[in-house]
Amino acid sequence: MRAAAQSPVAAHLRVVGALLRREMSTRYGRSAGGYAWAVAEPVGMVAMLALVFSAIAHHPPLGGSFITFFATGYIGFAFFRSTADSTAQAILANKPLLRFPNVNPYDAILARVILQALTNIAVAFIVLGGAFLLTEEPVRIDQPRIAAAFGAATLLAAGVGSCNAVLFVVAPIWQRVFGILTRPLFLISGVIFLPEDMPWSVQQALAWNPLIHVIAALRQGIYPVYLAQNAALVFPATLGLGLLLVGLLLLRRMRREVASP
């Protein structure tokens, strides 16, 4: 029993659990509004998009409800973006803790990925469920397809976030450059449009954006009539796995620079 309790795996699990509790306390537990804001932000964005586009168009690109259409798009995008952003800050936010010998950057990254993924699932359930009840949109809940879309988004975010977690520390200017380069993602990821409505040449270009596949697959799992042309989740999942491997290799190579004060 004693040997098992002191095994490396058990030690890492205890550290990850402790970091999870710390993250929950610092990010959401300081005030009652912490958890509410995680839901209020996507609700506000979806409401704003629905209000603006309903004023300039009679029908959404898919289905009969602007709220449901934008909710499916924004939740898919936010599932990736919030996890990638949170993971990218894992090392910077836990720098003081990395001085302890039993805490390493891998644990900090894993804790952030787990916490944000669980938060995203809860937010998606509340926002999408609320949209379905409010609009009475005829939907078909394909749970395996939705879970696969969320899984691919999380894996992609973990890969991007793990690379950035290292690069943000060793090359701080990259944080600004990355923010500028990814600013158009919201507009080109299919949140506010359907790729199938675009010319064929544009569709081919958009297919290189992994988030197009995530959001299309999510909508495919909700709308029974949607036949997505670009919903190959193997692309974002494979890309995310590759970037995760690169991020872990970077962390291993630059561990001393990352852990230094």
Side-chain angles (χ1 to χ4, degrees), residues 71-211:
T72 54
Y74 187 77
I75 286 298
F77 177 81
F79 218 98
F80 161 79
R81 191 59 190 258
S82 60
T83 305
D85 289 348
S86 176
T87 306
Q89 297 294 326
I91 296 175
L92 288 172
N94 291 283
K95 268 270 189 178
L97 297 179
L98 299 181
R99 300 173 186 175
F100 294 95
N102 59 334
V103 180
N104 64 61
Y106 302 101
D107 298 328
I109 289 174
L110 180 58
R112 287 228 164 184
V113 171
I114 293 174
L115 176 59
Q116 195 60 52
L118 293 175
T119 302
N120 288 340
I121 292 172
V123 170
F125 181 82
I126 294 171
V127 174
L128 292 177
F132 300 155
L133 292 174
L134 182 64
T135 64
E136 298 184 353
E137 177 82 25
V139 297
R140 173 202 62 197
I141 306 301
D142 186 344
Q143 295 180 1
R145 189 61 170 166
I146 294 172
F150 286 159
T154 301
L155 189 56
L156 178 63
V160 173
S162 62
C163 289
N164 283 338
V166 180
L167 295 175
F168 285 1
V169 176
V170 300
I173 189 62
W174 173 245
Q175 188 167 358
R176 290 189 177 184
V177 173
F178 181 79
I180 295 172
L181 292 177
T182 57
R183 199 165 292 169
L185 268 182
F186 182 83
L187 299 176
I188 64 173
S189 296
V191 177
I192 59 177
F193 65 90
L194 290 181
E196 293 76 16
D197 292 340
M198 299 294 171
W200 177 243
S201 59
V202 177
Q203 290 187 46
Q204 288 181 309
L206 289 173
W208 290 100
N209 178 358
L211 291 181

Side-chain angles (χ1 to χ4, degrees), residues 210-230:
L211 291 181
I212 283 284
H213 300 267
V214 169
I215 294 173
L218 176 58
R219 284 185 171 137
Q220 201 174 44
I222 292 174
Y223 288 95
V225 298
Y226 182 39
L227 300 176
Q229 299 298 317
N230 292 310

